[in-house]
Amino acid sequence: QVQLVESGGGLVQPGGSLRLSCAASGSIFGINAMGWYRQAPGKERELVATITNGGSTNYANSVKGRFTISRDNAKNTVYLKMNSLKPEDTAVYYCNLYSYYNGTNYWGQGTQVTVSS
């Protein structure tokens, strides 16, 4: 089993910055991808950004150039630095780990990000 614990959400003004962190623990084997998804009220959960343990990244078009995903493999931790935040970035952000070892998705409990003046 894998556990994901997120931190770093909160309230920020438009144009501001936040950094999310997610630490994974438990039975983590082999190649995996960690990342962030978000879900706004009344909308489906959508991909924000992912990164493999080899460093390959993928971003949603809506966040390219504003968000940066990174990870510390030694700590099994993924980070999301969010700059130039917009009200439309408001959502619950969920940490995700996909294990290529067993084909399983693991999810964190979610952290609220609110962008408002």
Side-chain angles (χ1 to χ4, degrees):
Q1 191 60 279
V2 174
Q3 296 79 40
L4 302 174
V5 178
E6 301 130 331
S7 60
L11 173 64
V12 64
Q13 292 186 342
S17 299
L18 280 176
R19 191 178 83 151
L20 305 182
S21 301
C22 172
S25 61
S27 303
I28 303 169
F29 303 105
I31 299 172
N32 60 75
M34 294 186 74
W36 296 91
Y37 290 69
R38 66 187 181 187
Q39 187 166 18
K43 295 188 177 182
E44 294 186 353
R45 190 174 298 189
E46 63 177 3
L47 178 144
V48 176
T50 62
I51 183 168
T52 67
N53 48 1
S56 296
T57 59
N58 182 42
Y59 293 93
N61 287 334
S62 59
V63 307
K64 282 181 180 177
R66 299 189 298 123
F67 292 9
T68 302
I69 191 168
S70 60
R71 65 186 285 171
D72 184 333
N73 288 331
K75 297 180 179 179
N76 286 321
T77 299
V78 64
Y79 307 95
L80 185 69
K81 181 64 187 301
M82 304 184 291
N83 295 326
S84 302
L85 282 161
K86 304 175 181 180
E88 51 263 44
D89 295 316
T90 295
V92 178
Y93 283 69
Y94 294 92
C95 180
N96 171 268
L97 185 149
Y98 176 75
S99 170
Y100 288 97
Y101 175 78
N102 60 14
T104 301
N105 268 306
Y106 301 94
W107 295 94
Q109 78 283 0
T111 185
Q112 177 70 46
V113 172
T114 302
V115 184
S116 175
S117 55

